[in-house]
Every structure is written in structure tokens, then in C-alpha cells.
Amino acid sequence: GEFALQRDIPTVRIYKMGKNKDKAPKTSDPEDSGSDQEVAEAAEGIKDIEYNDAQKANIEALKKLHESKVELEKAFEEEMNALRLKYEKQYEPLYVQRTDVLKKDTEGPGKESTGTPGVPNFWLQAFKNHRQLAGMIEPHDEPVLAYLTDVTSKYLDEKEQRSFTMTFTFAPNPFFEPEVLTKTYNLEGDGDSDVLQSTKATALNWKPGKNITKKTVTRKQKNKRTKQVRTITQEVDAPSFFNFFKDHEIPSEEDLEKMKDEDVEQLEMLVDADYTAGTIIRDKIIPKAVAWFTGEAEDSDDEDDDYDFEGDDDDDEGFDEDDDDDEDDSPKKPAKGGKKGGAPAGAAQQDCKQQ
């Protein structure tokens, strides 16, 4: 049944448990309420307790029972992965047929073809009907996402089922090339959770004047001493669903130790939002795209954590600034079921090394 094959979104950390003990890991796991330091102190406290020989023997017996259970859990996961893979292989022809239906030309001659002429804006509407994905989509994203033809996902190691690649196929469009975009999440196992090492995405080549991930900002600066006013025009990052297609290299343990706590926390939120969006598309939207399109599917996660990051612009020395966008920024529409949220754009992403 669906319940037996349902995959929970695994806990993902930007550093491994047992390291950076002075920092409590920020994860999506509600059971992670204590810091590594607290856990380590509790473990040291147990070592200080004196047990008699019979009690020590009981502890060893309990450890062996636990090891046996761990082995059974490994076998369970292997069998579940094999079962998921078996049915995912059977789902694939159905997904191909779904794409064929969506690509049927029903718009008639003379009309511009979109990514899914059989049901226009199919993927756009499916995304918008999920609260978190809706928070990632800006009004200027919608004409671009209308050209989305298909979305698929594949594990890099079918047996391990950890790292994965998603493929977004677009119809020929006036916005960018190439027409096939991929995003890969590279993870490593860490006991009960996975550790995200990096993400790799296809670089978009935007056509002239079509880059919706950038906007032009006009800044008026007044010299505090001379009162002279000057106007500066800059191109800056703009919020967009397509900021999802960026590379991130997670800092090493050594580099994380050098970072300020608030920077680590901001990075953790960025990583969590990015990875969660990827797994939502992989585990929810792709398998049940029709239900999300019609609105029949529901977001059972009901997560209230929305992440907004604002870039810090360096002021020129001696000047005060008033910012005016050359483009009118439309107010962000509330996402379904909650506040606006989603993948951030701008300086916050610089905390990850963009390749």
C-alpha cells in the first residue's frame, strides 16, 4: 500500500553529528532538541557510574540485542528500497504516457505552443498548489514555467537511494537555453540521517533581456559632506523560482568552525529550504502531479517555516542611499495555506560556494 512505500524526507545536516559540538545542529528533525555537547556530557556521565559485574554483563547483553536490531533495520531498509525500486520501474511507463497526453496539441494552429499544450500550465499549476513551492514562484516566473514539459527524478545509486538527480524538460522558449535542466543532490550517509555535501545544477543561458533572476536597481546617493547627489544603476539578484538552479558546495567542518553562529544558522536554513523543495518535487509532485494540478492533493507537512533572506549592499563611504527599482516590484502574493516563503535569492546564497 501507499503507506508502506511512503518515503519520509530524511534529516539532512550540513555537518556530521559528533563534530562542531559547540553548535546545536539545525535540522528538520523535531526530535533533535538537544545539542551535541549535551549528548556528549550525558554519555560521559554514564561512564562515571560504578556498576557491579552482573550489571556490566547485562549492559553488554543489551548492546548485543541492539546490534541485532540494527542489522534487522538494515535488512528492512534494503528490502524496502528494493520494493520501492520495483514499483518505481513500473511507474515510469505511466509517467511517459502522462507526458504524451500533456504534449498533445489542443491549442490550434496559429497559437503559441507551451510546454504542455494538452493541458496548458499543467506543471506550473501543480507547483502553485503546494504551499512551499508556491512561495518560490514569483509572477515573472509564471510565463517561463508555462514552457515546462516534464519533470523526472532518478537516484544515482538505485540500491542506496540517497543522492539523486531531477530533470526539468522545457519546450523551446524565448527565455533561456538549454531546454533540459538538471539538479543533483549529493548526499552521504551518517547513521540515522543523511549529510548533504553539495548540489549541482545546470547553468541557464538567459537570452538578452530575459534574465528574470536579475533586476536593475537605481540608487540615489547623497554625500554627507558636500550634499551632492549622484545616481548609480546596478544589476542585483531578484527573487525567482529559477534561483533553484544554482550550485552549492557545503563548507568543510574546518570552515564551519570559523563561521559565526548566525551565519551557520542562516546557511542551515538555506540548505534545509533548498533540499526540502527538491524532495517535495521528487516525492510529492512527480508521483501525484495530476492530483496537485487539480488541487485534490493536500500538503500534509503543514510546515510554517518560511525563509526570507535579504542581501546586504555595501554603501559607498560618505554617502546615504535611497533605492528605487527601475522595475516595479509586485507585492509578493501569499502562498497557499500560509505566508510567502521559498528558495531565497541574493546574498544569502553566497554563504555556499557557488560553482
Side-chain angles (χ1 to χ4, degrees):
E2 181 182 9
F3 175 78
L5 294 178
Q6 180 65 45
R7 179 187 300 277
D8 293 330
I9 294 177
T11 300
V12 173
R13 310 177 193 280
I14 64 170
Y15 48 78
K16 297 181 180 180
M17 291 290 290
K19 298 184 179 180
N20 292 314
K21 290 185 169 59
D22 58 324
K23 298 185 179 76
K26 310 295 182 182
T27 72
S28 58
D29 188 349
E31 296 180 0
D32 263 328
S33 56
S35 69
D36 292 342
Q37 181 67 33
E38 291 169 342
V39 172
E41 290 174 354
E44 288 296 326
I46 292 176
K47 294 179 181 179
D48 295 334
I49 300 175
E50 293 292 336
Y51 294 103
N52 61 37
D53 290 343
Q55 291 167 337
K56 290 178 181 179
N58 288 339
I59 292 174
E60 290 303 315
L62 292 172
K63 288 182 178 179
K64 290 181 180 180
L65 290 171
H66 176 70
E67 290 171 1
S68 297
K69 180 179 180 296
V70 169
E71 291 301 316
L72 288 173
E73 287 176 341
K74 290 180 180 178
F76 170 79
E77 287 299 327
E78 289 177 0
E79 290 187 26
M80 285 298 296
N81 286 349
L83 187 59
R84 290 191 188 101
L85 180 60
K86 172 186 174 181
Y87 281 93
E88 284 171 1
K89 293 292 186 182
Q90 296 181 47
Y91 298 154
E92 288 176 2
L94 300 178
Y95 296 156
V96 171
Q97 293 175 47
R98 179 176 68 188
T99 301
D100 290 341
V101 171
L102 292 172
K103 291 172 70 175
K104 289 181 178 180
D105 188 2
T106 60
E107 296 181 338
K111 290 190 176 181
E112 183 181 5
S113 178
T114 60
T116 55
V119 182
N121 299 323
F122 176 84
W123 291 103
L124 169 62
Q125 190 61 50
F127 284 5
K128 288 176 65 177
N129 281 345
H130 189 285
R131 191 187 65 83
Q132 180 160 336
L133 298 184
M136 296 170 60
I137 298 172
E138 300 292 330
H140 49 252
D141 290 319
E142 297 191 12
V144 189
L145 286 171
Y147 285 91
L148 184 57
T149 297
D150 194 20
V151 187
T152 61
S153 176
K154 184 177 182 179
Y155 286 101
L156 303 187
D157 186 321
E158 292 183 338
K159 182 178 179 181
E160 185 181 72
Q161 295 186 14
R162 183 173 285 117
S163 300
F164 62 96
T165 295
M166 290 186 297
T167 301
F168 298 75
T169 303
F170 286 80
N173 64 83
F175 296 99
F176 63 79
E177 293 178 340
E179 292 159 10
V180 178
L181 308 179
T182 63
K183 179 153 185 179
T184 299
Y185 290 85
N186 296 303
L187 299 97
E188 289 184 359
D190 184 35
D192 293 332
S193 63
D194 293 336
V195 181
L196 182 63
Q197 301 296 314
S198 64
T199 66
K200 181 71 175 177
T202 302
L204 281 78
N205 298 315
W206 293 94
K207 296 179 181 180
K210 299 295 185 177
N211 190 348
I212 58 176
T213 67
K214 301 290 183 180
K215 65 178 179 179
T216 300
V217 175
T218 301
R219 304 182 181 280
K220 295 180 181 179
Q221 296 181 323
K222 182 171 68 175
N223 190 294
K224 296 177 180 178
R225 182 172 56 84
T226 65
K227 306 302 181 183
Q228 179 184 2
V229 177
R230 66 179 182 180
T231 300
I232 296 177
T233 300
Q234 291 179 304
E235 186 179 70
V236 299
D237 291 335
S240 170
F241 174 85
F242 290 88
N243 287 315
F244 180 71
F245 295 98
K246 288 189 176 182
D247 296 351
H248 298 304
E249 191 73 28
I250 307 303
S252 65
E253 303 287 353
E254 182 179 348
D255 290 338
L256 282 168
E257 287 285 0
K258 298 176 183 178
M259 293 172 61
K260 296 179 180 179
D261 287 351
E262 55 267 29
D263 293 336
V264 173
E265 183 175 352
Q266 185 174 350
L267 176 58
E268 288 169 336
M269 290 191 295
L270 170 63
V271 169
D272 182 71
D274 183 283
Y275 179 76
T276 299
T279 52
I280 286 171
I281 295 172
R282 181 194 70 187
D283 297 337
K284 296 187 176 184
I285 303 299
I286 294 175
K288 300 182 179 180
V290 176
W292 284 104
F293 169 78
T294 61
E296 297 172 72
E298 295 183 358
D299 182 10
S300 59
D301 289 345
D302 194 24
E303 297 174 356
D304 293 326
D305 294 331
D306 296 322
Y307 307 116
D308 291 323
F309 297 90
E310 296 180 356
D312 294 325
D313 297 311
D314 294 331
D315 295 345
D316 288 354
E317 184 176 358
F319 284 89
D320 293 326
E321 292 189 353
D322 292 322
D323 296 349
D324 294 311
D325 293 354
D326 282 357
E327 300 177 2
D328 290 334
D329 283 335
S330 301
K332 296 182 179 180
K333 58 186 181 303
K336 181 179 178 181
K339 301 179 293 182
K340 177 83 176 181
Q349 298 196 7
Q350 296 173 3
D351 287 328
C352 294
K353 301 175 184 176
Q354 296 179 6
Q355 305 299 316

